[in-house]
Amino acid sequence: MNSIVRLTLISLALGLGACTVQQPGEREPLPPIETTPPPHQGPVVKPLPGGQPGSQPSKPAALPKPMPRTSASFAPPPGGASHWDPKLGVYVLEKQPNTFYRQRTYYRWNNGWSWSLSPAGPWQDTDSSGVPGGLGRAFGQ
């Protein structure tokens, strides 16, 4: 039995020793990175005859961005119609006035702040330090 253990240890030592002595091989040069030409800026538009020189066409009015329905960082409240308000940093519940949600906690403003783990309560009183920052600033006392 000792001879098997001894043979195993010698084989392991030789195998690991070969890894440390081996010289790194030469690397093949990498192929050059292909670059693409810049995208074409669009068609060249010739002015119509009789047009005023130097006048530029008007740009269409920019449409306002729609508000996001959900947050990329926080999950929406379960089982309730809501939308994400990025200024407040919370979901606004649509069926309950001044009720908000973020990270498994509901917040309610009713002449003061309270919080709950359920939209039906029970509600615990808190101050603005116990609500997300956007809410505390928006409903400052």
Side-chain angles (χ1 to χ4, degrees):
M1 173 102 161
N2 284 339
S3 62
I4 293 174
V5 172
R6 191 176 302 150
L7 183 61
T8 303
L9 286 174
I10 292 172
S11 297
L12 184 62
L14 286 175
L16 291 175
C19 292
T20 60
V21 176
Q22 184 178 8
Q23 296 291 330
E26 298 233 357
R27 292 185 177 174
E28 293 182 22
L30 296 174
I33 298 174
E34 294 182 24
T35 58
T36 58
H40 186 64
Q41 297 297 325
V44 176
V45 179
K46 294 181 181 179
L48 294 173
Q52 296 179 357
S55 65
Q56 296 180 356
S58 62
K59 293 182 179 181
L63 297 175
K65 281 183 155 180
M67 293 295 281
R69 295 291 301 165
T70 60
S71 163
S73 302
F74 302 107
S82 65
H83 67 274
W84 176 253
D85 188 326
K87 288 182 182 177
L88 299 176
V90 292
Y91 284 93
V92 178
L93 275 65
E94 295 175 1
K95 304 264 190 222
Q96 296 179 346
N98 292 332
T99 305
F100 311 94
Y101 176 85
R102 187 167 98 179
Q103 292 180 319
R104 299 186 206 134
T105 306
Y106 293 87
Y107 302 96
R108 181 175 67 179
W109 172 258
N110 187 10
N111 294 323
W113 284 110
S114 55
W115 67 272
S116 175
L117 298 178
S118 165
W123 294 93
Q124 301 292 319
D125 289 337
T126 187
D127 60 5
S128 61
S129 67
V131 299
L135 286 177
R137 287 186 296 274
F139 289 83
Q141 298 181 9

